[in-house]
Amino acid sequence: MTGTWREARVAASPGGGPRLGRRALIRGGGLAALGIGSVAVLPAFGTPSAVQDPRTCRAPDVSASQKRLVVSNWPAYIDPATKKTTSTLQDFEKATGITVSYTDDVSDNAEFFAKVRNQLGSCQAVNRDMMVLTDWMAAKMIGLGWVQPLDSAKVQNLHDNLIPALQGRAWDKNRTYSAPWQSGLTGIAYNAKLTKPVGSFSELLTRSDLKGKITLLSEMRDTMGFMVLLAGGQPEKFTSQQWENGIEMLRKSVKSGHVRAFTGNEYIQDLTAGNIVACEAWSGDVIQAQFDNPDIKFVSPEEGLMLWADNMLVPNKATHRTNAEKWIDYYYEPAVAAKLAAYVNYICPVQGAQQEMEKIDKTLVDNPLIFPSEDALKGSHGFMALDDKQEQTYEGEWSDVTGG
């Protein structure tokens, strides 16, 4: 994918100090009908020679003798240690005796893919035991056979505590290969001081008093998910005609001057400053903005929400798979998940964490953007995985409309 990626945001931390936001730009949920089973039925993302069989493309697991773990994640996506408290990472090291080499070198799904594709595509090690990637890229790598299956008995907390909304993904039906790290929603934000409520994506794109005062996200899968919905399709599975109808509606809105710009997360600054009055928005950004400006509101559009997750994956040739499984099982303990969620402010994927949050930060317990109800997530959508031809075509048309 060639999409643009969001710049790091500066927002107030729970402790009151400034920190960089969770990552450079987000996602589109790649939720598609990808058969997971024998490699023979996996979708061919890329050249056939790049497809591997994780059953044979693997290295010996030396976890028992090497208490090490190498993790690649997005920036500012884990709680730091403070003068008063240890971090969850430090707690994990103390509890398990495993030393974690943690790097925040994932700042763009496509960029990270380019970084590892030659090695993984030829069954070579990437010197990582875990990488955290967004749904659509996770689906792509699983489809290529580049990801090791998890031992379900060693990640029991994942299977016991994963929230229902993130279960049963078509590209990894039983979470055999992936475990959500954090999740989030794409919807609408508006400045209540400057405009009346905006309740639907259709309204965002057509209401006359909003003309020239809105922005949409530069992430194709998020924005086009809503356009496909407006065209009568489902983002999880749509036809080429529904895509064309959606992109044409967007093209007309852009040409009419209704859309001010396509942005990364800088929309929050524009919304707060009054340069725009409403926009397509990510839930975590809105939570952070509300610390300083309660007039910023997040809305679940009438059409539904786009739901995404960033997923922990163990790549082929990883040598510490068992240690990685211990990490996954640890972060699916409700108390640990609550401590992490109190810092990152995205949707916590772990059942039971909301109750544990009572002990950490009571102000976050009932925050629907961290702990949304099952009913609130029932109308959420992901975006179907695209094959190479679709991706090239759709990204080209998207760039033509957005100027990206």
Side-chain angles (χ1 to χ4, degrees):
M1 167 178 171
T2 59
T4 56
W5 297 89
R6 68 162 139 160
E7 300 171 355
R9 60 180 165 85
V10 178
S13 71
R19 67 175 169 93
L20 290 178
R22 73 179 266 299
R23 63 170 160 138
L25 182 86
I26 315 181
R27 78 254 289 128
L31 311 183
L34 304 187
I36 299 298
S38 68
V39 174
V41 300
L42 294 174
F45 288 108
T47 60
S49 60
V51 176
Q52 298 295 329
D53 185 343
R55 295 168 298 185
T56 56
C57 180
R58 60 193 309 168
D61 188 348
V62 297
S63 295
S65 59
Q66 293 184 7
K67 297 295 185 181
R68 296 183 59 244
L69 181 66
V70 182
V71 179
S72 284
N73 205 344
W74 299 83
Y77 217 12
I78 195 168
D79 56 304
T82 68
K83 292 181 180 179
K84 295 182 179 180
T85 62
T86 56
S87 68
T88 55
L89 187 155
Q90 290 173 326
D91 293 340
F92 171 79
E93 290 181 320
K94 183 178 180 180
T96 63
I98 297 169
T99 299
V100 180
S101 176
Y102 183 95
T103 58
D104 56 0
D105 62 341
V106 184
S107 58
D108 178 318
N109 282 290
E111 183 181 274
F112 188 83
F113 179 83
K115 187 186 299 185
V116 301
R117 67 180 301 170
N118 289 340
Q119 295 98 314
L120 290 176
S122 56
C123 191
Q124 297 177 22
V126 292
N127 300 317
R128 296 171 176 85
D129 301 303
M130 180 175 291
M131 51 195 183
V132 180
L133 299 170
T134 308
D135 287 324
W136 66 273
M137 183 56 75
K140 182 170 184 172
M141 287 201 173
I142 291 169
L144 282 163
W146 291 359
V147 179
Q148 290 289 309
L150 303 170
D151 184 337
S152 60
K154 293 178 181 177
V155 290
Q156 192 60 52
N157 285 335
L158 165 65
H159 297 292
D160 288 346
N161 298 334
L162 180 63
I163 61 175
L166 295 176
Q167 296 175 13
R169 289 292 178 257
W171 49 271
D172 191 7
K173 195 74 174 177
N174 298 313
R175 290 294 179 182
T176 303
Y177 298 88
S178 63
W181 173 254
Q182 295 289 282
S183 182
L185 297 165
T186 308
I188 294 171
Y190 70 93
N191 189 326
K193 189 175 181 179
L194 302 176
T195 189
K196 63 183 182 180
V198 182
S200 69
F201 211 79
S202 175
E203 191 178 351
L204 183 70
L205 289 178
T206 59
R207 219 170 76 190
S208 59
D209 62 306
L210 299 179
K211 185 174 182 178
K213 300 177 182 179
I214 72 160
T215 57
L216 300 178
L217 293 174
S218 53
E219 169 51 52
M220 182 268 281
R221 288 165 174 80
D222 281 332
T223 299
M224 285 307 301
F226 286 112
M227 299 311 301
V228 167
L229 283 167
L230 291 178
Q234 292 296 311
E236 294 86 351
K237 190 175 183 180
F238 55 85
T239 65
S240 58
Q241 187 60 56
Q242 288 166 339
W243 165 273
E244 291 300 331
N245 292 343
I247 199 78
E248 184 58 30
M249 282 191 285
L250 183 62
R251 183 178 286 109
K252 290 180 179 178
S253 188
V254 171
K255 284 186 175 181
S256 72
H258 194 89
V259 179
R260 178 185 175 97
F262 291 85
T263 72
N265 81 308
E266 61 267 28
Y267 65 83
I268 284 293
Q269 287 75 31
D270 286 335
L271 191 61
T272 300
N275 298 326
I276 59 173
V277 299
C279 58
E280 185 183 10
W282 290 302
S283 56
D285 287 343
V286 175
I287 294 176
Q288 291 292 335
Q290 288 172 337
F291 285 134
D292 296 322
N293 188 342
D295 288 324
I296 304 301
K297 309 295 183 183
F298 186 83
V299 175
S300 298
E302 292 176 5
E303 295 87 355
L305 292 156
M306 294 299 292
L307 175 69
W308 52 268
D310 292 321
N311 303 273
M312 295 178 275
L313 310 168
V314 178
N316 288 349
K317 292 288 186 172
T319 55
H320 304 99
R321 190 186 75 171
T322 298
N323 292 343
E325 290 164 340
K326 288 181 179 179
W327 171 275
I328 291 171
D329 208 51
Y330 164 80
Y331 274 98
Y332 270 79
E333 295 176 8
V336 176
K339 186 175 181 179
L340 178 64
Y343 178 76
V344 298
N345 294 157
Y346 277 83
I347 292 177
C348 179
V350 180
Q351 296 185 87
Q354 186 171 19
Q355 291 73 24
E356 292 293 334
M357 188 64 81
E358 290 274 0
K359 307 170 188 176
I360 299 172
D361 188 340
K362 292 183 182 296
T363 67
L364 299 179
V365 171
D366 295 319
N367 191 315
L369 300 186
I370 298 177
F371 300 111
S373 67
E374 287 188 39
D375 285 343
L377 294 179
K378 281 181 180 177
S380 62
H381 302 276
F383 195 90
M384 96 177 171
L386 306 176
D387 61 32
D388 283 350
K389 183 177 180 181
Q390 288 173 319
E391 188 161 334
Q392 184 176 12
T393 299
Y394 293 167
E395 286 285 2
E397 293 179 353
W398 168 256
S399 294
D400 180 60
V401 172
T402 64

